[in-house]
Amino acid sequence: MKHVKKAVAQILTGTALVLTASHAGAVSVSSSPETFAATGTITDINGATTTIGTSLNNANGHIYTVGASQSAVYHDYTTVKSWADLAIDLGWMHNVDWVQINVTDSGTYNIRSQVLGYRNIATAADATNSATVLDNSIHPAFSIWSLAGNTFTSSGSSNNPTTVQSPLAYGYTSGGNNSTMGFNQVAAPSATNNSKFLLAGGVNGIVGYSNSGVSGWYNGNGDLVGSGSAGASSGTGANGFLYADLTTYLAAGSYLIASGGSCVDVVDCGPYRTNLTTGAKSWGTGWYELKVAAVPVPGAVWLFGSAMAGMIGFGRRKQALAA
């Protein structure tokens, strides 16, 4: 009986840890205000289009709240290699989306960047270019860092984060600042790894990243970039486009996410047109959805915990009777 009680206690301890870590695991029931950064169309893999309009209804920029009962959803478009462009050090910073997430409840969260479709596709051929090829290999990727405070405070670019323009699609960055950040870095920012902008802004360190594009290359910091950190995965969604996601524990606090395209080799990067004279390809862009939501606690966990508690109660009653 002693061994049984010890085993049950160990199981219950593990269950308690799961329940504590997954406190934010209640099903999300509402979302922070969404943003479409621009008007245009979303075209699916079959060529059908949907018209969208601009809806910037978050007065403080792309700053969202997420917790046990609220998910954060953000829509925008991305260039195909904005997260992974070695040509200018660590990427097209001015084309990467910066989103701040304020987490109210500690727990396990899923972060997913899912391509929704092609953006503003020109399909017809003209005197200069071929017709657009609807290639669905747009590779999303993102990085997430923790913030020391409740806002990103760096003033290292012309778009100061205290204005309504930040953090927007072009916020936090401008020409001439390309060597001060490291959004595709896989290490914590430091004064020596081209991440001075992040460090000055109050970034504690990287929480994780997910990369659906090419892995095994070195970024401008000299870090080996893989497919993601622990909890990362990628694949093809039901709509035929790619996604990258990360399931990780987030303590209550504020986080900064950089999201963009990861086509570091500029091969199979999504929709393209071919120049009829030079043969060079010009790549199009895609719309994507970035969503952060608490991971639901499986109902079986709660039932298991209740059953174990019942077993302990039964065991104590049996001991009392025996005495």
Side-chain angles (χ1 to χ4, degrees):
M1 184 64 183
K2 181 179 179 181
H3 294 295
V4 172
K5 289 174 64 178
K6 182 177 180 182
V8 170
Q10 289 176 336
I11 293 172
L12 280 172
T13 301
T15 303
L17 289 174
V18 170
L19 296 179
T20 301
S22 303
H23 170 67
V27 177
S28 299
V29 295
S30 64
S31 299
S32 293
E34 282 188 20
T35 295
F36 272 97
T39 57
T41 59
I42 300 177
T43 304
D44 64 22
I45 57 176
N46 299 314
T49 62
T50 301
T51 301
I52 61 171
T54 302
S55 176
L56 181 59
N57 53 7
N58 188 337
N60 295 316
H62 295 167
I63 302 175
Y64 297 94
T65 300
V66 63
S69 60
Q70 186 177 46
S71 58
V73 181
Y74 168 74
H75 291 149
D76 206 349
Y77 63 89
T78 181
T79 55
V80 296
K81 57 178 181 176
S82 54
W83 188 84
D85 185 6
L86 296 179
I88 48 177
D89 198 2
L90 287 170
W92 291 353
M93 290 94 183
H94 56 285
N95 283 334
V96 172
D97 280 326
W98 296 93
V99 179
Q100 181 174 317
I101 301 293
N102 297 326
V103 176
T104 59
D105 301 296
S106 299
T108 302
Y109 287 81
N110 178 260
I111 309 164
R112 173 170 288 204
S113 179
Q114 166 79 58
V115 176
L116 299 178
Y118 311 112
R119 172 180 176 261
N120 303 349
I121 291 297
T123 56
D126 56 36
T128 304
N129 295 297
S130 68
T132 302
V133 177
L134 297 181
D135 184 337
N136 62 352
S137 57
I138 303 170
H139 297 278
F142 61 86
S143 303
I144 177 171
W145 304 268
S146 62
L147 294 176
N150 60 5
T151 186
F152 186 66
T153 58
S154 178
S155 57
S157 78
S158 62
N159 294 315
N160 192 299
T162 60
T163 71
V164 71
Q165 293 300 314
S166 184
L168 303 183
Y170 306 106
Y172 293 156
T173 59
S174 65
N177 290 299
N178 291 327
S179 64
T180 60
M181 306 157 67
F183 53 84
N184 61 23
Q185 69 183 56
V186 292
S190 71
T192 59
N193 70 357
N194 286 335
S195 299
K196 294 176 289 183
F197 188 86
L198 292 173
L199 192 65
V203 171
N204 284 329
I206 192 164
V207 174
Y209 74 102
S210 185
N211 170 28
S212 70
V214 175
S215 62
W217 49 277
Y218 288 86
N219 63 18
N221 287 333
D223 301 320
L224 180 62
V225 177
S227 58
S229 53
S233 64
S234 61
T236 302
N239 64 353
F241 290 93
L242 301 175
Y243 67 83
D245 70 5
L246 175 69
T247 298
T248 187
Y249 176 83
L250 297 178
S254 295
Y255 298 83
L256 186 68
I257 298 178
S259 183
S262 179
C263 192
V264 68
D265 56 355
V266 201
V267 175
D268 298 329
C269 296
Y272 64 89
R273 304 184 79 188
T274 303
N275 185 289
L276 299 177
T277 302
T278 65
K281 292 181 179 179
S282 56
W283 304 96
T285 55
W287 292 98
Y288 74 94
E289 175 180 275
L290 180 69
K291 183 174 184 179
V292 183
V295 176
V297 175
V301 173
W302 299 104
L303 293 175
F304 181 75
S306 300
M308 289 297 100
M311 287 177 62
I312 285 184
F314 177 77
R316 286 176 177 172
R317 286 194 299 272
K318 188 174 180 180
Q319 282 184 328
L321 290 173

